[in-house]
Amino acid sequence: MSIEIIAYILGGLTIGSALMVILSPHPVRSILYLVVTFFLISANYVLMNAQFLAIVNIIVYAGAIMVLFLFVLMMLNLSKENEPKGSIPMKAAAVIAGGSLLTVLVAALRKGTVQETTSIADDQGLVKSLGHELFTTYVIPFEVSSVLFIAAIVGAVLLAKREKQIIE
Amino acid sequence: MILASIFQTVSIQYYLVLATVLFIIGVIGVLTRKNAIILLMCIELMLNAVNLLLVAFSTYFGKSDGQLFVFFIMVVAASEATVGLSILVLIYRNARSVDIGLFNKLKG
C-alpha cells in the first residue's frame, strides 16, 4: 500500500516540475526545474527496479546535457528582459492542440489491455545483466552509436568554429 | 524484496498516463515558447517521457530490452543536444538573439 502512495507522489512531483519548466519565464530557472525533473524521473526508475539506469540518467542527463545547456545559456548572456515573447492566441492554440492530443492518447490507452505477466527478475536492472545483453544481442547498435557520437563531435566543432578559421 | 513488486500494487496504466502527460507537456512547451534553448529542453523532456515508458514496460515484462533501448535514446539525445546547441550559438553570433522566429529567414 505504501509503495503505491510513493509512486503517486513521485508522479505528481514529476508532472509539477515538468510544468514549471515550460511555465517559468526565466530560462535559467527553466533549466534548473528540468534538472529537478530528471532527478524525479531517476527516482521513478529506482522504484521500477532499474537502478543502473537511474544512475546513468543522473550522470548523463542531469550531469552532462543540462550542464551543457546551462553553459550555453550563460555564455549567450540571456536575461528575462530580452526573452522573446509569444502572442496570446498562439499560446492558446498550442494549449488546445496539446490538450486534444492528450485527450486522444489517454482515451486510446485507457481502453487498451496489457497482457498480464508474473515474471519478476530481481537483477535485470543491474549492470551485470544489462552489460551482458548489451555486448551480445545489441553489440552492433552499440558500435554504430559510437559512430553517431563521432559525427556529433565533428559536427559541433565544425559549426562552432568561425568561418575564417575553417577556410584557413 | 519490496522494490520488485511495484507492478503488483501500481497498474501499468498509471505509468502510461504519466508518460503521456510528460510528453504532452513537452509538446506544449515546444509550441508555446519562443526561446530556442527552451525548445531543445522540451525535446529532451519528450525523450525522457518515452524513456520512462520503456523502463516501465521493461520492468513489467521482466525483459531488459527496453532498458537497453533507453541507452540508445540517451546517445541520440546527447548528440542532438550537442549539434543543436552549436547551431544555436552560430545563430546567436549572427543575429544576437535566440528567438525561434528568426528561423523563418531560412525560407530564402
Side-chain angles (χ1 to χ4, degrees):
Chain A
M1 191 60 203
S2 62
I3 199 165
E4 199 176 8
I5 295 167
I6 294 172
Y8 289 152
I9 291 173
L10 263 181
L13 283 176
T14 312
I15 289 174
S17 64
L19 272 177
M20 286 308 292
V21 172
I22 64 170
L23 289 180
S24 72
H26 203 289
V28 174
R29 265 181 220 160
S30 258
I31 290 185
L32 293 179
Y33 274 117
L34 196 58
V35 172
V36 173
T37 312
F38 287 156
F39 271 100
L40 288 168
I41 286 176
S42 280
N44 275 310
Y45 289 168
V46 171
L47 207 60
M48 286 188 284
N49 221 6
Q51 293 92 344
F52 180 62
L53 216 53
I55 301 296
V56 168
N57 196 50
I58 289 177
I59 293 172
V60 173
Y61 269 111
I65 297 181
M66 281 302 109
V67 169
L68 188 67
F69 274 93
L70 209 56
F71 182 72
V72 168
L73 193 66
M74 288 178 171
M75 196 176 76
L76 298 188
N77 200 15
L78 298 173
S79 62
K80 200 177 170 183
E81 284 75 48
N82 52 18
E83 167 81 3
K85 290 271 189 301
S87 62
I88 298 291
M90 197 68 188
K91 281 183 181 171
V95 171
I96 290 170
S100 35
L101 185 58
L102 177 70
T103 315
V104 169
L105 281 178
V106 169
L109 292 173
R110 202 172 48 86
K111 282 284 167 67
T113 50
V114 183
Q115 175 192 344
E116 294 290 325
T117 57
T118 51
S119 63
I120 292 169
D122 269 353
D123 64 334
Q124 67 143 340
L126 299 182
V127 65
K128 192 180 172 190
S129 72
L130 281 182
H132 186 263
E133 191 81 359
L134 186 63
F135 285 104
T136 52
T137 317
Y138 290 96
V139 67
I140 291 172
F142 175 76
E143 297 295 342
V144 170
S145 69
S146 68
V147 177
L148 180 67
F149 260 138
I150 293 287
I153 294 168
V154 173
V157 170
L158 194 70
L159 284 169
K161 274 200 162 193
R162 289 179 191 276
E163 274 179 44
K164 259 186 213 160
Q165 290 171 322
I166 295 170
I167 292 165
E168 285 165 10
Chain B
M1 186 172 176
I2 186 168
L3 285 180
S5 63
I6 174 150
F7 286 116
Q8 289 165 0
T9 50
V10 183
S11 68
I12 188 78
Q13 267 84 7
Y14 167 67
Y15 280 103
L16 269 170
V17 173
L18 178 63
T20 311
V21 171
L22 277 180
F23 188 84
I24 298 297
I25 289 173
V27 170
I28 292 177
V30 166
L31 291 175
T32 50
R33 298 304 293 262
K34 290 290 213 176
N35 190 335
I37 294 177
I38 311 270
L39 242 72
L40 279 176
M41 280 162 49
C42 288
I43 292 171
E44 301 288 333
L45 192 61
M46 289 197 276
L47 288 170
N48 257 279
V50 176
N51 283 352
L52 185 67
L53 199 55
L54 276 172
V55 172
F57 271 105
S58 158
T59 307
Y60 185 74
F61 288 117
K63 290 182 177 151
S64 49
D65 301 58
Q67 298 192 19
L68 288 164
F69 265 82
V70 173
F71 282 118
F72 295 123
I73 291 179
M74 279 179 184
V75 169
V76 173
S79 0
E80 172 248 316
T82 327
V83 176
L85 282 174
S86 55
I87 290 174
L88 261 178
V89 170
L90 206 64
I91 286 174
Y92 183 79
R93 213 179 266 160
N94 287 321
R96 292 281 141 199
S97 164
V98 286
D99 192 343
I100 199 73
L102 287 172
F103 284 100
N104 66 9
K105 283 181 184 164
L106 296 177
K107 273 193 283 192

